[in-house]
């Protein structure tokens, strides 16, 4: 299996995250990708290639143009304001407030943010853009006939909505890749999100569409970020009714319950009969992850990789979360190896 990877992920190296009432070193940091890359090379899973540049058009096919312009200019505007730290939103257009984009960067941050834990720092846009190009290159490989590809994206993307960022995500890599597949001739595309946290951004992008099926296995939003999306009764809107499926699960969920949800999701994907499958691959379902509450073990990731291979679809894995940095490489590569073993790769 080929891996697509960009060194430009290192440009996203924020120093602050708001967590537990304190500013701490971010859980989402460059060493996450380093550990995965090292494990890939240790196991010899396949070649590692740099991404191509598909430009802005595939990004703007998914995201609001004003939002993208904000991301491109946010750090420059923040520096110009004279604020000394990293850019963190402090106010929002809450219920019954005017939904207008302010001119000053403090207001812009709040308008476009869905949460305040994720700071914007120097190099954030450049890294997010490269991450999107990594996913797009993986999608292009599928279009060119590859059976499976791993896009080692960083920063992750599945919390990024049409016009909002947060949860360490700025551009929705999986959604951008899925739309690229559609624009390239795929009639239907399925997105399977196995990250611990609900893929709220991906749901937002495709919620009213019937050409992209979205299925997400995640911590119950009554107890887990992003809290305000991901309930089981959210199934789509309009033409998209029935093409979103959420599997919220409670604290302490182990692999048996989690795998049963995966089986149901894969059954729905098979019934949907997509031309390609995009997997938002988060391994923060791991039992020792510091910001999650599922109890999967390293060996379980090999099994779930094999399960994902079952439908026999061209599959793009897009890296999302996973914050036990010492084990992220083992867990992520276990998924890929399990998939390859069953797929005969």
């Amino acid at each position: 299996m080929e891996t697509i990877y960009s060194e430009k992920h290192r440009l996203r190296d924020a120093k602050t995250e708001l967590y537990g009432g304190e500013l701490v070193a971010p859980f989402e940091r460059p060493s996450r990708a380093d550990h995965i890359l090292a494990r890939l090379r240790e196991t010899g899973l396949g070649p590692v290639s740099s991404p191509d540049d598909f430009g802005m058009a595939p990004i703007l096919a998914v995201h609001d143009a004003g939002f993208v312009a904000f991301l491109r200019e946010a750090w420059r505007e923040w520096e110009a304001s004279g604020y000394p730290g990293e850019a963190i939103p402090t106010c929002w257009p809450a219920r019954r407030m005017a939904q207008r984009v302010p001119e000053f960067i403090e207001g812009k941050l709040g308008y476009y943010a869905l949460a305040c834990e994720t700071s914007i720092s120097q190099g954030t846009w450049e890294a997010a853009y490269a991450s999107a190009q990594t996913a797009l290159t993986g999608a292009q490989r599928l279009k060119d006939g590859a059976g499976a590809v791993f896009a080692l994206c960083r920063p992750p993307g599945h919390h990024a909505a049409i016009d909002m960022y947060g949860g360490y995500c700025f551009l929705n890599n999986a959604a951008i890749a899925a739309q690229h597949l559609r624009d390239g001739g795929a009639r239907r595309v399925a997105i399977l999100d196995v990250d611990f946290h609900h893929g709220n951004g991906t749901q937002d992008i495709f919620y009213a569409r019937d050409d992209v099926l979205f299925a997400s296995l995640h911590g119950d939003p009554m107890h887990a970020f992003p809290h305000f999306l991901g309930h089981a009764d959210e199934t789509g809107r309009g033409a998209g009714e029935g093409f979103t499926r959420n599997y919220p699960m409670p604290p302490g969920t182990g692999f048996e319950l989690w795998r049963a949800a995966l089986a149901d999701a894969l059954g729905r994907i098979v019934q949907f009969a997509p031309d390609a499958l995009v997997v938002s691959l988060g391994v923060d379902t791991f039992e020792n992850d510091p910001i999650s509450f599922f109890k999967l073990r390293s060996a379980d990731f090999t099994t779930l990789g094999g399960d994902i291979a079952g439908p026999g679809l061209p599959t793009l894995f897009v890296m999302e979360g996973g914050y036990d940095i010492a084990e992220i490489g083992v867990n992520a590569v276990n998924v890929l190896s399990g998939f390859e073993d069953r797929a005969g790769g």
Side-chain angles (χ1 to χ4, degrees), residues 114-118 159 166-168 196-198 200 218-229 291 293:
L114 60 87
C116 66
E117 80 298 307
T118 301
H159 293 308
Y168 314 139
F196 169 79
H197 302 93
H198 177 247
N200 60 288
H218 52 268
D220 189 331
M222 295 302 289
H223 301 279
F225 183 93
H227 293 296
F228 302 107
L229 216 59
I291 57 174
F293 56 60

Side-chain angles (χ1 to χ4, degrees), residues 207-210 233-244:
Y207 201 59
R209 289 172 52 173
D210 61 2
D233 60 359
E234 298 162 14
T235 58
R237 181 180 68 249
E241 179 61 45
F243 295 93
T244 291

Side-chain angles (χ1 to χ4, degrees), residues 125-284:
W125 165 254
E126 292 80 2
Y129 179 86
S131 191
Q133 302 305 320
T134 297
L136 282 164
T137 302
Q140 186 64 42
R141 293 288 199 274
L142 289 195
K143 288 171 61 178
D144 292 341
V149 183
F150 175 42
L152 178 42
C153 293
R154 187 188 164 267
H158 72 150
H159 293 308
I162 294 170
D163 58 356
M164 292 180 285
Y165 77 96
Y168 314 139
C169 302
F170 305 95
L171 297 173
N172 195 310
N173 304 312
I176 291 167
Q179 186 62 49
H180 187 66
L181 289 166
R182 282 285 293 113
D183 291 341
R187 295 169 302 161
R188 292 183 293 275
V189 177
I191 302 176
L192 173 65
D193 193 322
V194 298
D195 190 279
F196 169 79
H197 302 93
H198 177 247
N200 60 288
T202 312
Q203 176 170 310
D204 178 58
I205 290 165
F206 296 113
Y207 201 59
R209 289 172 52 173
D210 61 2
D211 58 334
V212 177
L213 175 71
F214 175 63
S216 178
L217 287 65
H218 52 268
D220 189 331
M222 295 302 289
H223 301 279
F225 183 93
H227 293 296
F228 302 107
L229 216 59
H231 298 280
D233 60 359
E234 298 162 14
T235 58
R237 181 180 68 249
E241 179 61 45
F243 295 93
T244 291
R245 182 70 170 102
N246 286 307
Y247 299 85
M249 287 171 275
T253 291
F255 188 52
E256 183 177 0
L257 176 61
W258 192 95
R259 193 183 186 194
L262 177 63
D264 190 84
L266 290 172
R268 292 172 184 268
I269 289 169
V270 169
Q271 186 177 23
F272 181 63
D275 296 314
L277 172 63
V278 176
V279 179
S280 274
L281 176 58
V283 293
D284 43 1

Side-chain angles (χ1 to χ4, degrees), residues 4-339:
I4 313 299
Y5 165 81
S6 173
E7 279 286 323
K8 290 184 179 180
H9 81 87
R10 299 185 189 283
L11 297 172
R12 169 62 184 170
D13 191 12
K15 305 305 179 186
T16 51
E17 173 182 336
L18 184 59
Y19 177 77
E22 300 178 308
L23 287 176
V24 301
F27 291 97
E28 204 294 292
R29 58 187 70 167
S31 57
R32 296 177 62 248
D34 294 339
H35 280 266
I36 296 170
L37 190 64
R39 183 63 177 172
L40 285 166
R41 289 173 169 159
E42 180 183 341
T43 58
L45 186 72
V48 177
S49 306
S50 298
D52 299 321
D53 191 339
F54 293 81
M56 290 293 297
I59 294 171
L60 293 172
V62 163
H63 288 292
D64 172 75
F67 169 64
V68 173
F70 156 76
L71 289 177
R72 294 181 71 172
E73 296 298 324
W75 180 248
R76 182 190 63 78
E77 292 186 25
W78 181 260
E79 282 195 309
S81 73
Y83 288 130
E86 294 179 326
I88 299 175
T90 57
C91 58
W92 287 265
R95 288 183 292 277
R96 296 176 297 284
M97 288 185 173
Q99 303 296 308
R100 301 176 185 174
V101 184
E103 294 182 3
F104 187 57
I105 185 59
E106 179 187 41
K108 286 183 181 179
L109 286 165
Y111 182 84
Y112 286 115
L114 60 87
C116 66
E117 80 298 307
T118 301
S119 62
I120 291 179
S121 57
Q122 185 174 13
T124 293
W125 165 254
E126 292 80 2
Y129 179 86
S131 191
Q133 302 305 320
T134 297
L136 282 164
T137 302
Q140 186 64 42
R141 293 288 199 274
L142 289 195
K143 288 171 61 178
D144 292 341
V149 183
F150 175 42
L152 178 42
C153 293
R154 187 188 164 267
H158 72 150
H159 293 308
I162 294 170
D163 58 356
M164 292 180 285
Y165 77 96
Y168 314 139
C169 302
F170 305 95
L171 297 173
N172 195 310
N173 304 312
I176 291 167
Q179 186 62 49
H180 187 66
L181 289 166
R182 282 285 293 113
D183 291 341
R187 295 169 302 161
R188 292 183 293 275
V189 177
I191 302 176
L192 173 65
D193 193 322
V194 298
D195 190 279
F196 169 79
H197 302 93
H198 177 247
N200 60 288
T202 312
Q203 176 170 310
D204 178 58
I205 290 165
F206 296 113
Y207 201 59
R209 289 172 52 173
D210 61 2
D211 58 334
V212 177
L213 175 71
F214 175 63
S216 178
L217 287 65
H218 52 268
D220 189 331
M222 295 302 289
H223 301 279
F225 183 93
H227 293 296
F228 302 107
L229 216 59
H231 298 280
D233 60 359
E234 298 162 14
T235 58
R237 181 180 68 249
E241 179 61 45
F243 295 93
T244 291
R245 182 70 170 102
N246 286 307
Y247 299 85
M249 287 171 275
T253 291
F255 188 52
E256 183 177 0
L257 176 61
W258 192 95
R259 193 183 186 194
L262 177 63
D264 190 84
L266 290 172
R268 292 172 184 268
I269 289 169
V270 169
Q271 186 177 23
F272 181 63
D275 296 314
L277 172 63
V278 176
V279 179
S280 274
L281 176 58
V283 293
D284 43 1
T285 49
F286 183 52
E287 60 183 344
N288 295 327
D289 194 276
I291 57 174
S292 308
F293 56 60
F294 286 174
K295 299 300 178 184
L296 275 65
R297 299 177 178 179
S298 291
D300 297 330
F301 291 102
T302 304
T303 302
L304 75 88
D307 290 349
I308 292 172
L313 295 167
T315 301
L316 172 63
F317 291 92
V318 176
M319 194 65 209
E320 302 286 2
Y323 307 101
D324 185 327
I325 293 176
E327 300 299 327
I328 188 173
V330 170
N331 293 336
V333 176
N334 278 2
V335 175
L336 305 177
S337 298
F339 180 95

